[in-house]
Structure formats: structure tokens, C-alpha cells
Amino acid sequence: MKKFDSDYEMLKDMYQDGYFPDFLVDKIKCLLQEMVAFLETGEKEVQKVQQKFDEMTLAINDLQEEFEENDSELETAARESIGETVEYILNWFDIDMDVEDAIGQRDW
């Protein structure tokens, strides 16, 4: 089974932007790492992978209020950073899925 690229910096742009509190970006990173752990099992069935991405995306949706409470929000820069990370994960694991489909449950 393929292990994820340990050199890849998830959510790099969000961490570099002071607008996003690191402790909240860490929560998104944790959700992404859980997705990676799932894919490291070798799962490739698109329906199962999509279900896991949906769960991850809904959990990120649930963080919106916490971002707002900390004078931040999941907006364009966050969407792009999360999307780039998801796209990298999909490519790394050779998952034939469009990034917009993978995070289709997002409301940010």
C-alpha cells in the first residue's frame, strides 16, 4: 500500500496567511490526514472514497462558525488551499475523481 508524501505541506497557503488561525487550520489538516490514512489502506472504490470525502467536507463545513468566532472565515483563499491539497491527495493515490466532486458537499 502506498504511503502519502511526507514532504508535502498540506494547507501551506492557509498557514502562511495570518487571517486563518493556525489552531483551526490544524483541525482541517487533521481531517485531511484522516482521509490520507483511509486512502493508505489501498481503497480505490470511487463510491467509498467519495463517501469519505463527503464526511471530511461536512466536518470542515462544521468549522465555519468557529472560524467566524475567531475573526476569520472559510473563503476563497481557504477554498483554494483546501482544493489544492485535495487535488494533490487524489493525484498521489491515483484516484480518478475531480476535486470539485471530491469536495462537492462544501458550503464555503
Side-chain angles (χ1 to χ4, degrees):
M1 284 165 269
K2 189 174 186 178
K3 291 290 181 194
F4 190 64
D5 180 359
S6 60
D7 293 328
Y8 182 72
E9 294 179 54
M10 292 184 175
L11 308 171
K12 183 178 180 179
D13 293 340
M14 287 183 78
Y15 280 114
Q16 291 177 345
D17 188 334
Y19 179 66
F20 305 108
D22 283 353
F23 80 99
L24 290 174
V25 180
D26 289 344
K27 290 182 180 189
I28 296 173
K29 182 179 179 181
C30 182
L31 293 166
L32 288 161
Q33 289 171 327
E34 289 173 13
M35 187 69 217
V36 164
F38 172 75
L39 294 172
E40 285 178 336
T41 67
E43 183 61 64
K44 296 263 189 197
E45 188 179 320
V46 174
Q47 281 185 321
K48 290 181 181 178
V49 173
Q50 183 64 62
Q51 181 179 347
K52 275 294 197 190
F53 269 114
D54 288 348
E55 291 171 11
M56 178 202 79
T57 305
L58 292 171
I60 294 172
N61 289 349
D62 290 344
L63 293 173
Q64 288 186 102
E65 188 173 316
E66 200 169 348
F67 270 86
E68 290 169 8
E69 290 169 358
N70 287 277
D71 299 319
S72 184
E73 66 179 301
L74 294 174
E75 40 73 91
T76 304
R79 184 170 44 253
E80 289 174 1
S81 186
I82 295 166
E84 286 173 15
T85 300
V86 168
E87 185 171 33
Y88 189 89
I89 291 168
L90 290 169
N91 290 334
W92 181 264
F93 288 105
D94 299 315
I95 304 294
D96 186 22
M97 182 182 292
D98 183 78
V99 67
E100 288 300 320
D101 293 333
I103 57 174
Q105 293 292 322
R106 69 180 165 84
D107 58 12
W108 29 269

